[in-house]
Amino acid sequence: MLSLARRSTIRKPSRSLQSSDVDTVITVEDNVVKARGVEFPNIWLRDNCQCSSCVHDATRQRLIDIFEIPQDISIRSSEADAGGINIEWSDGHKSYYKNKFLHNATGTFRERAIVRQGLRSPSLWGSEIKDNPPTVSYEDVIHEDSHGLYTLLSNIRTHGFTFIDSVPHTTSTPTESLLTRISFIRPTHYGAFYDFTADLSSKDMAYTSVSLPAHTDTTYFSDPAGLQAFHLLSHTHGTGGASLLVDGFKAARDLYDEDPDAYRILSTVNVHAHASGNDGISIQPYRGFPVLSHDAATGFRVQVRWNTADRAAIELPVSETGAWYSAARKFDAVLKRQQNEYWEQLTPGRVLLFDNWRVLHGRSAFTGKRRICGAYVNRDDWVSRWKMARWGQEEVLGRLAAG
Ligand SMILES: C[N+](C)(C)CCCC[C@H](N)C(=O)O
Ligand SMILES: O=C(O)CCC(=O)C(=O)O
């Protein structure tokens, strides 16, 4: 049983990710390649030959069927050079393995997760973040050659959210353009780019004026939305409708510190969810998921799924569900602590964009006509964008077989 992470902190990727620092010594002894004391199965090496007859140059997809190659394939000859090692296989095929490639493959699960998951040491926050929330300007993000998109993605990967200021707001078009700079918008049964008011046009309480406690969205999808954006375009003839943010990773760490047993229950008991308001629809994930999910290889916190309104079955014998409710009650109390709540009144021109796998959101009740636009972006798509911005294509693709 992996120890559940107290912290999802990681060392920031050090320079050891740079090829120039890799001083891995590769040896071939008795038909076995070794690096850093690790023996590479010949079949693994053959499967991961990177030559253009084994990997499609344009698509980076594997061209060979490794299962057509004998399991006991052996090394006919080998020759090392400064950057790696040349191997001629018993079937005559020739491969070249860079030092860095083999070095990466011998890393710990923690080291290998950093690039694969686009990890960055999370900066956990509470209500104090109000004094200096992560922010980037629209002009810095919207232009191809700007650094602003990197800053936007870095803010989200570090803090779980960012504001984008000075977004034109006479129409919703600039907001949509801003979001598509990250990746394509994820359509759902609410539509794609959403622009909503309290008209129950979709049978969900978001389309009403009631208060919504801190929650994560789309817990009823097997793969909940990755990013969510809100841009308040107008609010007339009424008051209220303040936005709430809570750092779910910070709340999880608080729970771990205060009640590790409750943390364990919320990390192991699966919970189901549903979206059943719209006619003819009842969306549920293919399986239950715990409130707190962790990376299987490293134990890092990966996701918070918390939505009391959309929750369905608790995956326990009903007579035993009391333990889950007790644990969830404790987490709920942590989430509702004033020091964990960041309240902000959104205003036209200021877009809120957050990681729906980490940051919970909510709102206070309101009166009048309140119009918000925004969209969801898939988790894998925005993390892909982040990884490429942080490490670049060569580093990311160079770790596919090692991550
Ligand atoms: C699409 N838009 C953001 C307007 C509304 C989405 C409703 C989300 C739902 N309450 C949930 O918790 O998943
Ligand atoms: O209206 C808001 O400010 C938030 C609505 C909401 O929580 C949602 O759309 O999931």
Side-chain angles (χ1 to χ4, degrees):
M1 171 71 177
L2 271 171
S3 65
L4 297 173
R6 175 185 181 281
R7 293 179 184 285
S8 55
T9 50
I10 53 163
R11 290 186 317 285
K12 284 190 178 178
S14 67
R15 278 188 44 74
S16 69
L17 290 180
Q18 306 301 323
S19 54
S20 58
D21 294 347
V22 170
D23 56 359
T24 299
V25 174
I26 299 173
T27 60
V28 181
E29 293 165 23
D30 303 329
N31 189 37
V32 174
V33 175
K34 285 187 185 177
R36 292 207 286 184
V38 173
E39 293 187 2
F40 291 90
N42 287 341
I43 197 70
W44 181 90
L45 283 169
R46 183 66 186 85
D47 186 37
N48 289 293
C49 176
Q50 298 297 302
C51 79
S52 55
S53 58
C54 293
V55 176
H56 193 289
D57 285 337
T59 70
R60 308 302 303 156
Q61 290 167 294
R62 182 177 282 105
L63 292 168
I64 60 168
D65 178 354
I66 192 64
F67 306 113
E68 295 296 323
I69 293 171
Q71 179 78 11
D72 62 352
I73 186 168
S74 62
I75 296 171
R76 177 179 295 165
S77 66
S78 65
E79 183 179 352
D81 63 22
I85 190 163
N86 294 279
I87 298 281
E88 182 176 347
W89 296 105
S90 47
D91 63 1
H93 185 77
K94 292 180 180 177
S95 303
Y96 181 74
Y97 301 93
K98 293 179 180 175
N99 289 340
K100 187 168 183 302
F101 174 77
L102 297 177
H103 175 93
N104 291 341
T106 61
T108 64
F109 280 131
R110 178 193 183 103
E111 289 165 341
R112 293 156 62 176
I114 289 170
V115 174
R116 171 170 51 82
Q117 294 184 29
L119 289 175
R120 162 164 277 189
S121 297
S123 172
L124 306 183
W125 48 268
S127 57
E128 79 291 340
I129 195 95
K130 187 180 187 65
D131 300 335
N132 185 25
T135 304
V136 64
S137 78
Y138 173 78
E139 283 304 317
D140 284 348
V141 176
I142 204 68
H143 299 301
E144 281 290 335
D145 57 353
S146 70
H147 194 68
L149 183 61
Y150 179 86
T151 305
L152 177 149
L153 294 166
S154 175
N155 284 352
I156 295 174
R157 204 63 179 114
T158 308
H159 301 283
F161 77 101
T162 190
F163 286 109
I164 302 101
D165 279 348
S166 311
V167 181
H169 49 85
T170 47
T171 73
S172 61
T173 305
T175 304
E176 184 167 5
S177 305
L178 168 69
L179 296 174
T180 52
R181 279 277 288 133
I182 300 168
S183 183
F184 54 86
I185 282 168
R186 171 173 178 174
T188 68
H189 54 297
Y190 306 111
F193 183 77
Y194 43 74
D195 188 336
F196 68 104
T197 60
D199 61 1
L200 265 182
S201 56
S202 192
K203 299 299 182 288
D204 183 281
M205 288 194 286
Y207 296 77
T208 72
S209 57
V210 301
S211 68
L212 298 172
H215 65 279
T216 60
D217 267 20
T218 64
T219 49
Y220 37 79
F221 288 148
S222 303
D223 171 33
L227 296 183
Q228 177 163 18
F230 291 135
H231 187 181
L232 186 136
L233 294 177
S234 62
H235 186 179
T236 52
H237 311 305
T239 59
S243 296
L244 167 62
L245 293 179
V246 178
D247 184 352
F249 282 6
K250 196 262 184 189
R253 190 201 58 188
D254 290 353
L255 182 70
Y256 185 94
D257 288 347
E258 297 166 26
D259 192 331
D261 195 46
Y263 188 96
R264 181 186 54 75
I265 291 171
L266 296 187
S267 300
T268 52
V269 175
N270 288 332
V271 177
H272 292 268
H274 77 103
S276 309
N278 289 5
D279 296 340
I281 282 183
S282 183
I283 300 168
Q284 293 187 260
Y286 79 96
R287 51 156 282 195
F289 290 88
V291 169
L292 304 173
S293 289
H294 299 77
D295 176 60
T298 61
F300 295 145
R301 264 186 287 280
V302 172
Q303 183 180 44
V304 177
R305 291 169 89 121
W306 182 264
N307 193 310
T308 300
D310 297 343
R311 177 166 35 82
I314 298 162
E315 215 167 279
L316 287 171
V318 66
S319 59
E320 298 172 23
T321 52
W324 184 87
Y325 282 105
S326 298
R329 181 182 304 276
K330 291 175 182 169
F331 188 52
D332 183 65
V334 172
L335 291 169
K336 290 173 178 171
R337 284 178 188 157
Q338 194 171 6
Q339 67 263 40
N340 286 335
E341 294 191 333
Y342 167 34
W343 286 93
E344 189 70 74
Q345 185 68 51
L346 297 184
T347 53
R350 190 179 209 203
V351 171
L352 168 62
L353 181 60
F354 59 92
D355 177 355
N356 180 58
W357 281 35
R358 166 180 170 182
V359 173
L360 293 82
H361 65 284
R363 77 170 177 223
S364 60
F366 63 90
T367 57
K369 186 166 175 57
R370 178 175 178 269
R371 181 185 166 203
I372 285 192
C373 73
Y376 293 128
V377 173
N378 281 323
R379 161 66 175 214
D380 293 345
D381 294 315
W382 84 263
V383 172
S384 163
R385 201 83 163 89
W386 157 245
K387 295 192 297 191
M388 289 301 188
R390 169 69 182 75
W391 285 287
Q393 177 136 327
E394 183 181 354
E395 183 66 38
V396 171
L397 299 190
R399 290 170 170 269
L400 291 175

